[in-house]
Amino acid sequence: MFLSVFDMFKVGIGPSSSHTMGPMVAAARFLDHLRAQPFRPAGLRASLHGSLAFTGAGHATDRAVILGFAGFLPESYDADRAEAALARIRAERLVEPPGLPPLRFDPEADLRFDYGPPLPGHANGLILRATDAQGDVLVEETYYSIGGGFVLTADELARGRKAEEGPPVPFPFDTAEAMLRMARDSGLSIAAMKRANELTRTDPASLDRGLARIWEVMEACIDRGLSTEGVLPGGLKVRRRAAGIYRALMAERGLNLTPPHTINDWMSAYAMAVNEENAAGGQVVTAPTNGAAGVVPAVIRYWLDHVPGASRARVGDFLLTAAAIGGLVKWNASISGAECGCQAEVGSASAMAAAGLCAAMGGTPMQVENAAEIALEHHLGMTCDPVRGLVQVPCIERNGLGAIKAVSAASLALRGDGTHLVPLDAAIETMRQTGEDMHSKYKETSLGGLAVNVPNC
């Protein structure tokens, strides 16, 4: 099993990897499909299903599809250019994707929210169609946005997990048990094994540049969030809080009057800064999703700024370790809130961050696995019930608590020798089963939980 660190950590835009980035990527894939056809279409249509319909407006899914049809991609997204394109498309009812003729597309008529039963493959489904001059469908493709910005066609999903593509990797672990066995047999850390796997696809310099770029974008996102105030978009009138908390913490620094638990406020401020940026549609890194994007960077920032002996030179190992754990969760369960609730998003992120911190602080592979298990175990059963379908309440604060749990889990694991009762594989399987049993109203549909018990205006 190989999932690259650059699959788990992708530079993109808010507010959602599954509901914003995924649909934009799906639209881009559909355009590529059309470019390969012998005929030229005249128009485009789209329908959103399942969670993409129920919470799509709050997650800007419609906007993402429109921009995807216009040729935009998450990794190269430019906000000013996007706004101009949206205004033009709505006025002219036309998109002009590169490599294709101008295509009729009226967002009001040609993009439909389908509130019926979800499509059979996944809770996040969308159907994209190309039409001829008479409006008849020429090409139709179903896509599923399965979390973290990953997108599969219906055929790809139906085929299931395929044989490994690309060259073989030296450490092909697909369970935590196999990961620990390989670490023991090789004498290598989890980060070293993950690095060796990555180097079958790239060269050392490119890998290091890519890892540095991930942290650069994460850190810049924290800094923007810590310096930006105002009200988040969407109608709930949620005020940004990270900047105010950060100012207060900086004012208290060095006074020797604050209680020890104030360190939790620092972690929360870092995480909330990221998720406030995400909620505003800013640039973030999926970690492993946008809704959980604040946990890993908050823990890295906590480690660098507050832990003696921390070194930026080890951020790459932190990210590689975290990606190894995230890959196990995605492979054996899910990182999608629409599939397994928020345990799959913030729970996975907390496990990844706990593992990364434990490794960065000198933990053994057994301690790292223990740290990930502790963090994931104590998110089991967490629902995804965003108020008004916005990635704001309870999502922003939840990232802060996920970071705090990650640090606590790493600290507990480092106090032991790695021996523990519940293996990480069991926690991951429990999360999968819990998500399967969880009612759909608690899985990113905003039909239950806080979403219906908190006033929406």
Side-chain angles (χ1 to χ4, degrees), residues 77-298:
Y77 180 82
D78 181 279
D80 292 336
R81 196 164 64 87
E83 290 302 325
L86 284 169
R88 183 188 57 75
I89 292 166
R90 290 190 171 112
E92 299 177 3
R93 300 174 186 176
L94 201 70
V95 293
E96 300 181 73
L100 287 167
L103 300 170
R104 289 196 311 268
F105 181 71
D106 179 356
E108 295 297 321
D110 295 324
L111 198 159
R112 184 169 61 92
F113 290 78
D114 189 319
Y115 299 106
L119 299 178
H122 191 278
N124 294 331
L126 63 162
I127 300 175
L128 306 182
R129 301 175 176 90
T131 59
D132 62 16
Q134 287 72 45
D136 295 325
V137 174
L138 293 171
V139 182
E140 177 179 299
E141 186 66 83
T142 298
Y143 295 92
Y144 293 104
S145 180
I146 61 172
F150 291 89
V151 173
L152 297 174
T153 65
D155 286 345
E156 290 167 345
L157 190 69
R159 288 199 299 268
R161 292 184 285 194
K162 299 178 290 184
E164 189 62 63
E165 296 179 353
V169 297
F171 302 102
F173 52 85
D174 58 3
T175 64
E177 180 184 15
M179 179 182 71
L180 290 178
R181 184 179 65 253
M182 292 179 191
R184 183 174 60 250
D185 292 345
S186 67
L188 296 175
S189 68
I190 293 169
M193 293 193 300
K194 181 65 174 162
R195 179 178 290 273
N197 288 349
E198 294 287 339
L199 291 177
T200 64
R201 268 70 173 177
T202 189
D203 60 88
S206 296
L207 176 59
D208 289 336
R209 280 196 303 271
L211 293 171
R213 169 65 174 158
I214 290 171
W215 174 237
E216 175 187 314
V217 176
M218 285 180 169
E219 188 171 37
C221 187
I222 293 174
D223 290 340
R224 286 196 310 274
L226 292 178
S227 61
T228 305
E229 298 186 270
V231 177
L232 294 171
L236 287 180
K237 300 180 181 178
V238 173
R239 296 197 66 81
R240 288 178 179 250
R241 296 158 57 200
I245 294 171
Y246 180 66
R247 275 199 314 275
L249 289 168
M250 290 297 290
E252 296 168 3
R253 205 168 195 178
L255 297 179
N256 295 322
L257 298 174
T258 56
H261 64 250
T262 300
I263 193 61
N264 292 336
D265 299 342
W266 285 94
M267 286 184 269
S268 291
Y270 298 146
M272 291 168 64
V274 172
N275 284 84
E276 287 173 355
E277 282 295 293
N278 179 64
Q283 187 182 60
V284 298
V285 176
T286 63
T289 66
N290 282 29
V295 178
V296 169

Side-chain angles (χ1 to χ4, degrees), residues 356-369:
L357 179 61
C358 185
M361 295 185 68
T364 67
M366 286 180 64
Q367 289 172 317
V368 169
E369 185 262 0

Side-chain angles (χ1 to χ4, degrees), residues 343 347 350 372-382 405 409 412 427:
Q343 59 174 354
S350 189
E373 185 278 324
I374 294 170
L376 183 59
E377 179 182 342
H378 296 289
H379 284 87
L380 292 175
M382 183 174 281
K405 285 185 182 181
L412 283 173

